[in-house]
Amino acid sequence: MAQVLEFKLPDLGEGLTEAEIVRWLVSVGDVVAIDQPVVEVETAKALVEVPCPYGGVVTARYGEEGTELPVGAPLLTVAVGASEPADLPASSTSPGLSSPAGPDAAPGSSASSASDEASGNVLVGYGTGAPAARRRRVRRASVADPVAVGAVSLPAPVVQPVNGTVGPVPVVSPLVRRLARENGLDLRELTGSGRDGLILRSDVEQAIRQGVTQAQPATPAPVGLSASSTASSTASPSASSRIGAERVPLRGVRGAVADKLARSRHEIPDATCWVDADATELMAARTAMNAAGGPKISLLAVLARICTAALARHPELNSTVDMAAREIVRLPEVHLGFAAQTDRGLVVPVVRDAHTRSAESLSAELARLTEAGRSGRLTPGDLTGGTFTLNNYGVFGVDGSTPIINHPEAAMLGVGRIIPKPWVHQGELAVRQVVQLSLTFDHRVCDGGTAGGFLRFVADCVEQPAVLLRTL
């Protein structure tokens, strides 16, 4: 007899609380193997293929493509022990089917009896090696009576009051409700594009763009004010409510970047110092290295190697601040992040153990992560755990910038474009390849002397690459 198990959206790590369904990789009725990817989701950090820890036949999927689901929400159900749809009980292929243990049973609680059909891989909340999760008691809405679907009872659509009336609103996700509420939308006025009229996030976003807003109830005029004076005081709409204004939801990568930058500015007392450097010798050294044969070494890799050498001399900048303990935590490894612009927005992939890598190894890893970023295949692990960030904004054709520190790190080195400029070289005016270097640092971890020493060492290595040899 097939056993139907429910697979919920797992915790993808790093505090991520939700993910958007980008593409289903299986359909109802498909046979899946243990650890087979079943859905591609987009988190605030990356596109991730989610493997299912069970093997069997898919009996139900939850959520259309484009829907955001919170961690712990059902993704699909699998009939373990079934090899084809014909093996399933008559009721098991009904849409919205839940596992026999109920819609809120943890998968681990029913997987123990079918351990040979479940993965032992670590996927937070799943796997045969983990103890059974404690079942959570869920309170049903009092206005929703169960509706029988085959042999399984499912709650009716939640009925919520809208504008003083009560009526069913077919919305697939609480996140969609929240988006509509925050933008003053009456969900009853929208036509859902999902199955059975379900209102999807894309429907709400389209309504926001078209300016379909919920009418605000009239407010009586305060005592002593006429209706005309009240009207005149509210006649000027805010910039966000003007006709034609476009609202762009801060979600996904853009939302994560916004949160992190705002937190950095709010929590970190940063300061910036900068210096111009003659990069002519550095460019010549890189050309000579690549002319010698072997894998090509990128300029970013050479700059990354200089950064790790500078951090070895000034470890204060490879640290973080624990304000709860009132401690500066100096980190033993250098996990070097580098800012990369992609079609999905700004991402900061991390080169692990950069301090142990040669320029050739750094170049290969930087190339791998850059390509993964462009194709949207960076994993959450590729984007977290950095201790220092290198930002080459010169690729945008600009000379200088004041970087915002990548919280919770303590510093970021910015590199502008390298261009020919007049420069005094060996006592004479000459045209040299000049670059501006800027360092933004957390003033809690060090003072200007340390930051200046770090930046000066970087500039010296740029101007005279032989300086770097003394640190190897």
Side-chain angles (χ1 to χ4, degrees):
M1 181 69 178
Q3 181 181 15
V4 180
L5 301 180
E6 185 178 77
F7 175 42
K8 299 181 180 181
L9 178 64
D11 179 355
L12 298 172
E14 296 297 332
L16 299 175
T17 60
E18 60 193 28
E20 177 184 336
I21 296 175
V22 175
R23 182 167 59 101
W24 281 106
L25 305 178
V26 296
S27 301
V28 173
D30 287 354
V31 177
V32 297
I34 295 174
D35 291 337
Q36 176 181 333
V38 293
V39 65
E40 185 179 70
V41 301
E42 181 179 21
T43 71
K45 296 183 179 295
L47 284 174
V48 180
E49 287 187 349
V50 180
C52 180
Y54 312 127
V57 176
V58 177
T59 59
R61 299 187 321 193
Y62 295 87
E64 303 288 340
E65 293 179 355
T67 301
E68 280 190 354
L69 295 179
V71 168
L75 270 178
L76 49 76
T77 53
V78 177
V80 175
S83 59
E84 56 184 45
D87 296 338
L88 303 180
S91 63
S92 65
T93 55
S94 300
L97 176 72
S98 297
S99 65
D104 297 291
S109 61
S110 55
S112 59
S113 61
S115 60
D116 58 329
E117 299 292 342
S119 167
N121 289 346
V122 177
L123 193 63
V124 181
Y126 295 91
T128 56
R134 182 178 300 174
R135 293 185 58 178
R136 237 177 354 107
R137 199 171 179 182
V138 176
R139 189 176 301 165
R140 295 183 182 274
S142 60
V143 294
D145 296 325
V147 178
V149 179
V152 182
S153 293
L154 296 176
V158 176
V159 180
Q160 294 189 348
V162 180
N163 290 344
T165 62
V166 175
V169 180
V171 180
V172 75
S173 167
L175 299 174
V176 174
R177 293 185 182 275
R178 184 182 67 187
L179 180 63
R181 183 174 63 252
E182 291 175 349
N183 289 276
L185 289 178
D186 184 348
L187 290 173
R188 297 184 308 163
E189 297 179 358
L190 302 184
T191 301
S193 61
R195 186 174 57 192
D196 299 326
L198 289 177
I199 298 175
L200 307 180
R201 188 185 68 190
S202 57
D203 300 324
V204 175
E205 291 176 347
Q206 182 178 2
I208 293 171
R209 289 192 294 269
Q210 294 175 348
V212 181
T213 56
Q214 180 177 341
Q216 298 296 322
T219 304
V223 177
L225 293 178
S226 65
S228 60
S229 63
T230 303
S232 63
S233 65
T234 60
S236 300
S238 64
S240 62
S241 62
R242 289 175 183 164
I243 296 176
E246 180 182 3
R247 289 178 177 263
V248 180
L250 277 174
R251 60 181 180 83
V253 172
R254 185 73 260 163
V257 169
D259 292 340
K260 197 155 196 175
L261 295 182
R263 184 176 183 184
S264 178
R265 281 297 194 199
H266 177 72
E267 295 185 10
I268 299 177
D270 58 353
T272 302
C273 54
W274 58 91
V275 65
D276 288 341
D278 180 359
T280 306
E281 297 301 327
L282 179 71
M283 300 297 286
R286 174 176 171 260
T287 300
M289 292 166 65
N290 289 334
K296 300 297 183 183
I297 297 175
S298 67
L299 178 61
L300 188 62
V302 177
L303 293 171
R305 184 65 189 87
I306 292 174
C307 275
T308 59
L311 288 171
R313 289 194 167 204
H314 302 279
E316 299 92 336
L317 295 171
N318 193 59
S319 63
T320 187
V321 177
D322 183 350
M323 286 302 294
R326 298 194 65 81
E327 294 176 340
I328 298 172
V329 183
R330 294 183 181 174
L331 305 170
E333 301 90 9
V334 177
H335 301 317
L336 186 68
F338 65 100
Q341 193 70 37
T342 71
D343 292 340
R344 298 174 61 244
L346 178 68
V347 294
V348 184
V350 177
V351 177
R352 304 286 169 182
D353 298 314
H355 61 295
T356 65
R357 295 177 180 264
S358 64
E360 183 177 311
S361 173
L362 286 168
S363 188
E365 184 66 358
L366 289 166
R368 184 190 71 82
L369 291 170
T370 299
E371 178 57 32
R374 289 172 179 167
S375 61
R377 298 298 172 183
L378 289 169
T379 67
D382 290 331
L383 293 163
T384 53
T387 63
F388 185 92
T389 297
L390 174 62
N391 187 357
N392 180 21
Y393 44 74
V395 296
F396 302 119
V398 297
D399 296 330
S401 176
T402 54
I404 298 178
I405 295 173
N406 188 23
H407 185 280
E409 298 170 13
M412 178 186 291
L413 177 68
V415 181
R417 61 178 178 167
I418 301 176
I419 58 173
K421 284 187 177 181
W423 190 266
V424 176
H425 176 65
Q426 296 180 351
E428 296 183 358
L429 188 63
V431 176
R432 305 286 286 180
Q433 300 292 319
V434 179
V435 62
Q436 184 180 100
L437 307 169
S438 55
L439 177 72
T440 296
F441 63 99
D442 186 339
H443 224 313
R444 296 173 298 180
V445 305
C446 68
D447 295 324
T450 299
F454 174 93
L455 190 58
R456 188 63 257 169
F457 177 82
V458 171
D460 289 345
C461 289
V462 168
E463 293 185 342
Q464 303 176 50
V467 172
L468 187 59
L469 297 176
R470 293 200 296 264
T471 68
L472 300 179

